[in-house]
Amino acid sequence: MNVLSIAGSDPSSGAGIQGDIKTFTALGAYGLVAVTALTSQNSSKFFKSEPASPEIIKSQIRSVLSDFKIDAIKIGMVYDKKTIRTIHSELKNLKIPIVLDPIFESTTGGILLRIDAFSDFKKLLMPLSYVITPNVPEAEKITGMKIKSLDDAKKAALKINSMGAKNVIIKGGHMKDGKVIDLLLENKKFHTFSQKRLARESHGGGCIFSAALCVNIAKGKSLIESTSLAQKTSFESIKNSTRVGKGLSIARQKNADTIEDELATAINPICQHGTNL
Ligand code: PXL
Protein backbone atom coordinates (compact mmCIF):
# COMPACT_ATOMS: atom_id res chain seq x y z
CA MET A 1 0.00 0.00 0.00
CA ASN A 2 1.18 3.53 -0.83
CA VAL A 3 0.87 6.64 1.32
CA LEU A 4 1.77 10.23 0.51
CA SER A 5 3.14 12.81 2.93
CA ILE A 6 2.74 16.46 1.94
CA ALA A 7 5.01 18.20 4.44
CA GLY A 8 8.17 20.12 5.22
CA SER A 9 11.73 18.84 5.32
CA ASP A 10 13.41 18.43 8.70
CA PRO A 11 17.17 17.89 8.35
CA SER A 12 17.31 16.37 11.85
CA SER A 13 15.04 13.61 10.46
CA GLY A 14 12.90 13.46 13.60
CA ALA A 15 9.80 15.06 12.07
CA GLY A 16 8.51 16.24 8.69
CA ILE A 17 8.91 14.17 5.53
CA GLN A 18 11.99 12.36 6.83
CA GLY A 19 10.18 11.28 9.99
CA ASP A 20 7.11 10.25 7.97
CA ILE A 21 9.11 8.08 5.57
CA LYS A 22 10.66 6.27 8.56
CA THR A 23 7.24 5.58 10.11
CA PHE A 24 5.65 4.56 6.80
CA THR A 25 8.52 2.15 6.13
CA ALA A 26 8.52 0.69 9.64
CA LEU A 27 4.80 -0.07 9.29
CA GLY A 28 5.17 -1.72 5.88
CA ALA A 29 3.83 1.06 3.63
CA TYR A 30 5.55 2.59 0.62
CA GLY A 31 6.01 6.30 1.36
CA LEU A 32 5.85 9.05 -1.24
CA VAL A 33 6.40 12.75 -0.57
CA ALA A 34 5.64 16.23 -1.83
CA VAL A 35 7.88 18.76 -0.06
CA THR A 36 6.16 22.02 0.90
CA ALA A 37 9.04 23.79 2.63
CA LEU A 38 12.65 23.44 3.66
CA THR A 39 13.61 24.04 7.27
CA SER A 40 17.03 24.22 8.85
CA GLN A 41 16.97 22.94 12.40
CA ASN A 42 18.69 20.49 14.69
CA SER A 43 17.72 18.86 17.97
CA SER A 44 18.47 22.08 19.91
CA LYS A 45 17.51 24.95 17.68
CA PHE A 46 15.30 26.05 14.81
CA PHE A 47 17.13 28.28 12.34
CA LYS A 48 15.20 29.04 9.14
CA SER A 49 12.43 27.97 6.83
CA GLU A 50 11.66 28.64 3.22
CA PRO A 51 8.54 27.60 1.27
CA ALA A 52 8.74 25.62 -1.97
CA SER A 53 7.12 27.43 -4.91
CA PRO A 54 3.44 26.68 -5.68
CA GLU A 55 4.56 25.40 -9.11
CA ILE A 56 6.89 22.76 -7.74
CA ILE A 57 4.43 21.74 -5.00
CA LYS A 58 1.71 21.27 -7.63
CA SER A 59 4.06 19.39 -9.92
CA GLN A 60 5.25 17.04 -7.13
CA ILE A 61 1.65 16.20 -6.16
CA ARG A 62 0.64 15.62 -9.79
CA SER A 63 3.68 13.51 -10.57
CA VAL A 64 2.95 11.19 -7.67
CA LEU A 65 -0.84 11.01 -8.11
CA SER A 66 -0.57 10.32 -11.85
CA ASP A 67 1.61 7.26 -11.29
CA PHE A 68 0.95 5.62 -7.92
CA LYS A 69 -2.29 4.40 -6.43
CA ILE A 70 -2.33 6.36 -3.17
CA ASP A 71 -4.29 4.78 -0.32
CA ALA A 72 -4.07 7.69 2.15
CA ILE A 73 -2.49 11.15 2.38
CA LYS A 74 -0.97 12.92 5.37
CA ILE A 75 -0.65 16.71 5.37
CA GLY A 76 1.89 18.22 7.80
CA MET A 77 3.73 21.56 7.61
CA VAL A 78 2.06 23.88 5.06
CA TYR A 79 3.69 27.18 6.08
CA ASP A 80 1.89 29.82 4.01
CA LYS A 81 -1.29 30.81 2.13
CA LYS A 82 0.06 29.99 -1.33
CA THR A 83 1.02 26.48 -0.23
CA ILE A 84 -2.40 25.90 1.36
CA ARG A 85 -4.24 27.14 -1.74
CA THR A 86 -2.11 24.94 -4.02
CA ILE A 87 -2.68 21.82 -1.90
CA HIS A 88 -6.39 22.58 -1.68
CA SER A 89 -6.84 22.91 -5.43
CA GLU A 90 -4.84 19.71 -6.11
CA LEU A 91 -6.68 17.57 -3.54
CA LYS A 92 -10.22 18.98 -3.46
CA ASN A 93 -11.70 16.50 -5.95
CA LEU A 94 -9.94 13.37 -4.70
CA LYS A 95 -11.60 10.54 -2.83
CA ILE A 96 -8.44 9.55 -0.90
CA PRO A 97 -8.66 9.81 2.92
CA ILE A 98 -6.63 12.75 4.24
CA VAL A 99 -5.04 12.90 7.70
CA LEU A 100 -4.44 16.55 8.57
CA ASP A 101 -1.83 17.10 11.26
CA PRO A 102 -1.89 20.77 12.30
CA ILE A 103 1.75 21.85 12.46
CA PHE A 104 1.99 25.33 13.90
CA GLU A 105 5.29 25.44 15.79
CA SER A 106 8.32 23.19 16.24
CA THR A 107 9.29 21.81 19.67
CA THR A 108 12.23 24.22 19.56
CA GLY A 109 9.98 27.24 18.85
CA GLY A 110 10.19 27.62 15.04
CA ILE A 111 7.14 29.02 13.21
CA LEU A 112 5.83 26.30 10.88
CA LEU A 113 2.54 28.00 9.91
CA ARG A 114 2.54 31.74 9.34
CA ILE A 115 -0.09 33.61 11.36
CA ASP A 116 -1.57 35.14 8.19
CA ALA A 117 -2.14 31.61 6.79
CA PHE A 118 -4.19 30.44 9.75
CA SER A 119 -7.61 31.32 8.36
CA ASP A 120 -6.91 29.55 5.04
CA PHE A 121 -5.72 26.52 7.00
CA LYS A 122 -9.12 26.42 8.75
CA LYS A 123 -11.24 27.35 5.74
CA LEU A 124 -9.54 25.26 3.03
CA LEU A 125 -7.71 22.32 4.59
CA MET A 126 -9.92 21.33 7.54
CA PRO A 127 -12.95 20.57 5.32
CA LEU A 128 -10.78 18.32 3.12
CA SER A 129 -9.70 16.13 6.01
CA TYR A 130 -11.05 12.71 6.89
CA VAL A 131 -9.45 13.17 10.30
CA ILE A 132 -7.54 16.02 11.97
CA THR A 133 -5.07 15.34 14.78
CA PRO A 134 -4.34 18.44 16.92
CA ASN A 135 -2.69 18.19 20.34
CA VAL A 136 -4.26 20.24 23.14
CA PRO A 137 -2.49 23.59 22.43
CA GLU A 138 -3.25 23.22 18.70
CA ALA A 139 -6.92 22.43 19.42
CA GLU A 140 -7.04 25.51 21.67
CA LYS A 141 -5.59 27.64 18.89
CA ILE A 142 -8.03 26.29 16.29
CA THR A 143 -11.10 26.78 18.49
CA GLY A 144 -10.11 29.74 20.65
CA MET A 145 -11.26 27.62 23.63
CA LYS A 146 -9.31 26.68 26.78
CA ILE A 147 -9.00 22.92 27.31
CA LYS A 148 -8.54 21.96 30.94
CA SER A 149 -10.59 18.77 31.18
CA LEU A 150 -11.90 15.89 29.11
CA ASP A 151 -15.23 17.71 28.90
CA ASP A 152 -13.50 20.80 27.46
CA ALA A 153 -11.72 18.54 24.93
CA LYS A 154 -15.07 17.07 23.88
CA LYS A 155 -16.51 20.56 23.33
CA ALA A 156 -13.43 21.56 21.31
CA ALA A 157 -13.66 18.37 19.20
CA LEU A 158 -17.32 19.14 18.40
CA LYS A 159 -16.37 22.68 17.40
CA ILE A 160 -13.54 21.45 15.14
CA ASN A 161 -15.98 18.99 13.56
CA SER A 162 -18.45 21.83 12.96
CA MET A 163 -15.63 23.76 11.23
CA GLY A 164 -15.45 21.02 8.58
CA ALA A 165 -13.10 18.25 9.76
CA LYS A 166 -15.01 14.98 9.35
CA ASN A 167 -13.45 13.28 12.38
CA VAL A 168 -11.27 14.67 15.16
CA ILE A 169 -8.55 13.27 17.42
CA ILE A 170 -7.32 15.53 20.23
CA LYS A 171 -4.01 14.02 21.28
CA GLY A 172 -2.43 13.72 24.69
CA GLY A 173 -5.15 15.56 26.47
CA HIS A 174 -6.59 15.07 29.89
CA MET A 175 -3.93 13.79 32.21
CA LYS A 176 -5.08 11.81 35.17
CA ASP A 177 -3.33 9.27 37.39
CA GLY A 178 -0.19 9.50 35.25
CA LYS A 179 -2.23 8.71 32.12
CA VAL A 180 -2.63 10.57 28.86
CA ILE A 181 -5.94 10.41 27.05
CA ASP A 182 -6.35 10.70 23.29
CA LEU A 183 -9.93 11.63 22.39
CA LEU A 184 -11.55 10.55 19.13
CA LEU A 185 -14.78 12.07 17.83
CA GLU A 186 -16.14 9.92 15.00
CA ASN A 187 -19.67 10.22 13.62
CA LYS A 188 -20.73 12.32 16.65
CA LYS A 189 -19.53 9.61 19.08
CA PHE A 190 -16.62 9.96 21.49
CA HIS A 191 -13.99 7.30 22.17
CA THR A 192 -11.08 7.64 24.60
CA PHE A 193 -7.73 5.88 24.45
CA SER A 194 -5.55 6.07 27.51
CA GLN A 195 -1.84 5.44 27.75
CA LYS A 196 0.83 5.77 30.42
CA ARG A 197 2.37 9.24 30.38
CA LEU A 198 6.05 9.28 29.46
CA ALA A 199 7.88 11.99 31.39
CA ARG A 200 10.06 13.06 28.50
CA GLU A 201 9.93 15.53 25.68
CA SER A 202 11.07 14.28 22.34
CA HIS A 203 11.21 15.56 18.78
CA GLY A 204 8.90 13.90 16.24
CA GLY A 205 6.41 12.07 18.47
CA GLY A 206 3.37 13.92 17.05
CA CYS A 207 4.43 13.24 13.47
CA ILE A 208 4.77 9.54 14.27
CA PHE A 209 1.19 9.43 15.60
CA SER A 210 -0.35 10.97 12.47
CA ALA A 211 1.92 9.01 10.09
CA ALA A 212 1.00 5.72 11.80
CA LEU A 213 -2.68 6.72 11.76
CA CYS A 214 -2.37 7.38 8.01
CA VAL A 215 -0.84 3.95 7.34
CA ASN A 216 -3.51 2.13 9.34
CA ILE A 217 -6.28 4.02 7.53
CA ALA A 218 -4.57 3.13 4.22
CA LYS A 219 -4.64 -0.52 5.31
CA GLY A 220 -8.43 -0.22 5.60
CA LYS A 221 -8.59 -0.44 9.39
CA SER A 222 -11.40 1.34 11.24
CA LEU A 223 -10.68 4.76 12.70
CA ILE A 224 -11.02 3.35 16.22
CA GLU A 225 -8.45 0.62 15.57
CA SER A 226 -6.20 3.01 13.64
CA THR A 227 -6.21 5.47 16.56
CA SER A 228 -5.39 2.77 19.06
CA LEU A 229 -2.53 1.42 16.91
CA ALA A 230 -1.18 4.94 16.24
CA GLN A 231 -1.16 5.61 19.99
CA LYS A 232 0.84 2.42 20.59
CA THR A 233 3.32 3.19 17.79
CA SER A 234 3.96 6.74 19.01
CA PHE A 235 4.20 5.60 22.68
CA GLU A 236 6.78 2.93 21.78
CA SER A 237 8.72 5.40 19.61
CA ILE A 238 8.82 8.05 22.34
CA LYS A 239 9.89 5.36 24.82
CA ASN A 240 12.63 4.37 22.38
CA SER A 241 13.70 7.99 21.75
CA THR A 242 17.43 8.54 21.73
CA ARG A 243 19.67 11.54 22.14
CA VAL A 244 21.15 11.38 18.65
CA GLY A 245 22.34 15.00 18.73
CA LYS A 246 23.15 17.36 21.62
CA GLY A 247 19.60 18.60 22.24
CA LEU A 248 16.19 16.93 22.45
CA SER A 249 15.87 13.17 22.11
CA ILE A 250 14.46 12.03 18.80
CA ALA A 251 11.51 9.64 18.80
CA ARG A 252 12.23 6.56 16.71
CA GLN A 253 10.94 3.13 15.96
CA LYS A 254 12.94 0.14 17.05
CA ASN A 255 14.47 -1.39 13.97
CA ALA A 256 14.21 -5.07 13.11
CA ASP A 257 17.81 -5.79 14.25
CA THR A 258 17.17 -4.36 17.72
CA ILE A 259 13.99 -6.39 18.02
CA GLU A 260 15.89 -9.51 16.90
CA ASP A 261 18.70 -8.78 19.39
CA GLU A 262 16.21 -8.37 22.20
CA LEU A 263 14.42 -11.57 21.25
CA ALA A 264 17.74 -13.43 21.07
CA THR A 265 18.74 -12.11 24.50
CA ALA A 266 15.38 -13.11 25.93
CA ILE A 267 15.46 -16.55 24.31
CA ASN A 268 19.10 -17.30 25.16
CA PRO A 269 18.69 -18.10 28.87
CA ILE A 270 15.65 -20.25 28.02
CA CYS A 271 17.70 -22.22 25.45
CA GLN A 272 20.59 -22.64 27.88
CA HIS A 273 18.19 -23.73 30.56
CA GLY A 274 16.84 -26.30 28.08
CA THR A 275 20.27 -27.78 27.33
CA ASN A 276 21.11 -28.08 31.03
CA LEU A 277 18.12 -30.26 31.72
O1 PXL B 1 6.76 17.86 14.66
C1 PXL B 1 6.22 18.77 13.82
C2 PXL B 1 7.03 19.12 12.62
C3 PXL B 1 6.56 18.82 11.38
N1 PXL B 1 7.21 19.14 10.24
C4 PXL B 1 8.39 19.76 10.29
C5 PXL B 1 8.95 20.08 11.51
C6 PXL B 1 8.26 19.75 12.71
C7 PXL B 1 8.83 20.06 14.00
O2 PXL B 1 9.92 20.53 14.14
O3 PXL B 1 10.13 20.69 11.53
C8 PXL B 1 9.09 20.09 9.01
Side-chain angles (χ1 to χ4, degrees):
M1 139 250 347
N2 305 322
V3 286
L4 167 64
S5 167
I6 302 177
S9 162
D10 168 12
S12 74
S13 292
I17 54 164
Q18 292 85 349
D20 286 348
I21 287 286
K22 289 193 292 182
T23 304
F24 294 161
T25 307
L27 298 180
Y30 189 81
L32 300 140
V33 298
V35 186
T36 56
L38 299 178
T39 70
S40 59
Q41 58 181 307
N42 56 32
S43 57
S44 312
K45 196 162 181 251
F46 192 93
F47 298 93
K48 285 193 168 108
S49 62
E50 207 169 279
S53 71
E55 289 72 28
I56 195 69
I57 295 171
K58 180 166 98 179
S59 180
Q60 289 177 84
I61 295 174
R62 288 191 181 182
S63 60
V64 170
L65 288 176
S66 62
D67 187 7
F68 303 88
K69 179 189 170 289
I70 306 289
D71 301 291
I73 297 174
K74 175 187 152 173
I75 302 177
M77 175 185 178
V78 289
Y79 195 60
D80 64 6
K81 282 186 199 176
K82 282 189 197 161
T83 304
I84 291 170
R85 289 174 188 176
T86 306
I87 295 170
H88 174 258
S89 74
E90 291 307 304
L91 303 189
K92 66 175 189 260
N93 295 320
L94 298 181
K95 295 278 172 286
I96 304 169
I98 295 173
V99 174
L100 178 62
D101 192 358
I103 304 291
F104 300 155
E105 220 179 90
S106 79
T107 1
T108 47
I111 301 295
L112 303 176
L113 180 71
R114 288 174 51 123
I115 292 171
D116 64 359
F118 203 68
S119 69
D120 276 354
F121 175 87
K122 292 197 271 194
K123 212 169 55 207
L124 298 177
L125 294 187
M126 282 177 42
L128 286 188
S129 66
Y130 168 63
V131 58
I132 186 170
T133 59
N135 59 26
V136 168
E138 289 158 353
E140 288 184 329
K141 200 154 181 218
I142 291 168
T143 58
M145 295 161 70
K146 275 265 153 251
I147 302 175
K148 294 253 176 277
S149 64
L150 186 59
D151 246 19
D152 292 346
K154 287 181 175 174
K155 287 186 192 120
L158 285 168
K159 180 152 184 202
I160 294 171
N161 174 241
S162 76
M163 293 163 83
K166 193 161 193 297
N167 301 295
V168 183
I169 298 170
I170 300 186
K171 289 176 304 190
H174 191 53
M175 288 174 196
K176 208 179 163 192
D177 312 327
K179 295 250 165 93
V180 176
I181 294 175
D182 292 332
L183 173 72
L184 163 67
L185 170 64
E186 183 191 27
N187 298 329
K188 312 284 172 208
K189 286 206 190 84
F190 291 110
H191 308 269
T192 53
F193 303 83
S194 84
Q195 182 60 271
K196 243 187 357 216
R197 189 167 89 89
L198 289 168
R200 74 183 72 165
E201 201 183 13
S202 65
H203 178 57
C207 281
I208 292 176
F209 181 95
S210 53
L213 185 75
C214 185
V215 172
N216 288 305
I217 290 168
K219 287 179 179 169
K221 295 187 193 296
S222 71
L223 194 48
I224 292 176
E225 195 185 355
S226 297
T227 308
S228 166
L229 289 169
Q231 189 189 60
K232 284 190 181 70
T233 301
S234 67
F235 178 83
E236 289 304 325
S237 304
I238 295 169
K239 206 164 95 182
N240 189 49
S241 63
T242 22
R243 208 152 170 248
V244 190
K246 299 190 186 78
L248 278 177
S249 294
I250 295 184
R252 56 201 300 209
Q253 279 89 17
K254 283 193 175 165
N255 63 29
D257 287 351
T258 321
I259 296 169
E260 271 169 28
D261 277 357
E262 282 178 3
L263 271 176
T265 322
I267 287 168
N268 235 346
I270 302 168
C271 294
Q272 281 168 6
H273 186 60
T275 48
N276 286 344
L277 283 175

